């Protein structure tokens, strides 16, 4: 088990963390670069060697209901990794995902064109800007287009 002093030295390698004294000679280490309200990476590091690292809901760690992982019995390598993971976790922001719209052009022998477009959970067939038909699956929409004499334009 690492001592309090060894843990302080390891945590001190992270220049992005700021040490703050709290009650009973314990220390917190704050990460001001956090993209969230949560700023404390290492919480309640105690002179007896006990303490916690915030890991949120990272599946690699067994944490309590507050997302804290106990570092009492970790190795130097484990402590380095959990702190790195915590900082990465607090740095990443869930960006809204860009909506992916699947659109295919279908033509018949007369060169009429229909568009097959995935919108939400539906597959819609458009003639110009007008909705021709709507289907729950792509297979159903494709079968409709084939039955109507259309082939996918490549």
């Amino acid at each position: 088990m690492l001592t309090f002093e060894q843990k302080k030295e390891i945590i001190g390698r992270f220049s992005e963390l700021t040490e703050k004294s709290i009650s009973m000679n314990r220390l917190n280490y704050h990460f001001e670069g956090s993209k969230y309200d949560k700023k404390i990476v290492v919480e309640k590091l105690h002179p007896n060697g006990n303490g916690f690292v915030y890991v949120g809901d990272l599946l690699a760690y067994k944490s309590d209901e507050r997302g804290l992982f106990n570092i009492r019995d970790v190795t130097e390598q484990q402590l380095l990794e959990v702190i790195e993971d915590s900082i990465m976790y607090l740095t990443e922001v869930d960006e809204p995902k860009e909506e992916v719209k699947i659109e295919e052009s279908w033509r018949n022998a007369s060169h009429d064109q229909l568009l097959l477009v995935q919108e939400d959970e539906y597959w819609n067939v458009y003639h110009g800007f007008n909705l021709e038909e709507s289907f729950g699956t792509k297979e159903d929409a494709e079968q409709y287009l084939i039955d109507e004499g259309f082939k996918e334009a490549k």
Side-chain angles (χ1 to χ4, degrees), residues 107-112:
R107 293 188 185 274
N108 64 10
S110 304
H111 299 291
D112 296 323

Side-chain angles (χ1 to χ4, degrees), residues 91-115:
T91 303
E92 293 176 356
V93 176
D94 289 336
E95 300 281 335
K97 296 199 177 16
E98 184 178 320
E99 184 178 324
V100 177
K101 206 174 201 184
I102 297 175
E103 191 171 292
E104 298 173 358
S105 179
W106 289 66
R107 293 188 185 274
N108 64 10
S110 304
H111 299 291
D112 296 323
Q113 178 180 330
L114 296 178
L115 290 178

Side-chain angles (χ1 to χ4, degrees), residues 34-68:
S34 175
K35 303 291 185 196
Y36 302 94
D37 291 338
K38 179 69 176 168
K39 303 248 187 252
I40 301 173
V41 170
V42 179
E43 215 172 284
K44 299 177 183 147
L45 181 62
H46 193 277
N48 70 8
N50 201 21
F52 303 91
V53 173
Y54 179 73
V55 294
D57 58 5
L58 292 174
L59 297 177
Y61 301 97
K62 187 174 185 317
S63 61
D64 66 13
E65 65 281 348
R66 298 170 297 155
L68 297 174

